[in-house]
């Protein structure tokens, strides 16, 4: 052997290297012939400051929702008042839950619309009982739902102007 590190050293045993049985790579390991993956700072697996979906002021800071502008407030309150025509109490419930922290007006009007829809559910149950007891003659009480639609339209018009609306005969279960 030579003492010079510049010269390559020859192997002591000439011949082919011993063969090992081929195994399928484990799940998540790199394909054969590639070096194993090592996470470097700034690569996937390592969080980078200032990126992602979190708030820009730090990962441990509490979430501060952005307030709605007045036109968005009016739009969402109108949807909360008119949405029940198609989706019953689901529309005001979702709008109230999503936007209650972002606007006092949407919080107030979303609760009002949700309470009115809950009241209408009770009225519907009462109308059904009256209809069954009177063998269908009492189904005329379903006319009350025409008044409910009129109240929802009045509420939407007032909310579109930015004014609050209080339903008459509303059971306010959600405070």
């Amino acid at each position: 052997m030579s003492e010079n590190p510049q010269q390559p050293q020859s192997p002591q045993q000439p011949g082919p290297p011993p063969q090992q049985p081929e195994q399928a790579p484990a799940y998540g390991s790199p394909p054969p012939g590639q070096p194993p993956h090592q996470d470097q700072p700034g690569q996937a697996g390592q969080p980078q400051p200032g990126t992602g979906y979190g708030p820009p002021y730090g990962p441990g800071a509490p979430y501060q929702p952005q307030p709605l502008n007045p036109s968005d407030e009016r739009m969402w309150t109108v949807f909360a008042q008119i949405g029940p025509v198609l989706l019953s109490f689901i529309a005001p419930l979702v709008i109230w839950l999503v936007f209650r922290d972002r606007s006092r007006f949407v919080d107030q009007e979303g609760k009002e619309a949700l309470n009115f829809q809950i009241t209408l559910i009770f009225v519907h149950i009462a109308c059904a009982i009256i209809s069954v007891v009177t063998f269908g003659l009492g189904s005329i009480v379903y006319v009350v739902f025409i008044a409910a639609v009129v109240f929802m339209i009045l509420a939407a018009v007032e909310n579109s102007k930015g004014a609050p609306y209080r339903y008459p005969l509303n059971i306010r279960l959600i405070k």
Side-chain angles (χ1 to χ4, degrees):
M1 285 201 165
S2 68
E3 296 293 324
N4 188 356
Q6 300 289 337
Q7 294 178 349
Q9 295 181 1
S10 62
Q12 299 211 354
Q13 296 178 353
Q19 292 187 353
Q20 296 177 355
E22 291 202 23
Q23 296 177 347
Y27 180 75
S29 64
Q34 290 187 2
H37 177 70
Q38 296 176 356
D39 284 339
Q40 301 294 326
Q43 287 186 345
Q46 297 282 335
Q48 296 179 4
T51 62
Y53 297 104
Y57 45 85
Y63 174 69
Q64 297 293 325
Q66 296 294 322
L68 292 174
N69 61 25
S71 68
D72 286 344
E73 284 181 337
R74 291 190 308 267
M75 176 189 67
W76 286 112
T77 57
V78 168
F79 287 160
Q81 304 295 352
I82 297 296
V85 171
L86 297 175
L87 299 172
S88 181
F89 69 94
I90 302 296
L93 175 65
V94 169
I95 291 170
W96 177 63
L97 288 176
V98 171
F99 295 110
R100 68 181 172 186
D101 295 333
R102 296 179 63 185
S103 167
R104 282 178 123 186
F105 186 58
V106 175
D107 179 39
Q108 173 187 334
E109 295 303 311
K111 281 191 286 191
E112 187 73 13
L114 182 59
N115 282 327
F116 186 64
Q117 294 308 312
I118 293 170
T119 302
L120 287 181
I121 290 172
F122 293 148
V123 170
H124 183 73
I125 292 170
C127 288
I129 291 171
I130 290 171
S131 294
V132 168
V133 169
T134 61
F135 300 107
L137 295 176
S139 60
I140 191 73
V141 293
Y142 279 104
V143 172
V144 81
F145 287 102
I146 295 172
V149 172
V150 170
F151 288 143
M152 287 190 283
I153 292 170
L154 289 174
V157 169
E158 289 298 313
N159 287 165
S160 70
K161 296 176 187 175
Y165 184 80
R166 300 280 287 184
Y167 285 100
L169 305 171
N170 196 2
I171 302 171
R172 291 175 179 85
L173 297 173
I174 300 173
K175 305 263 182 215

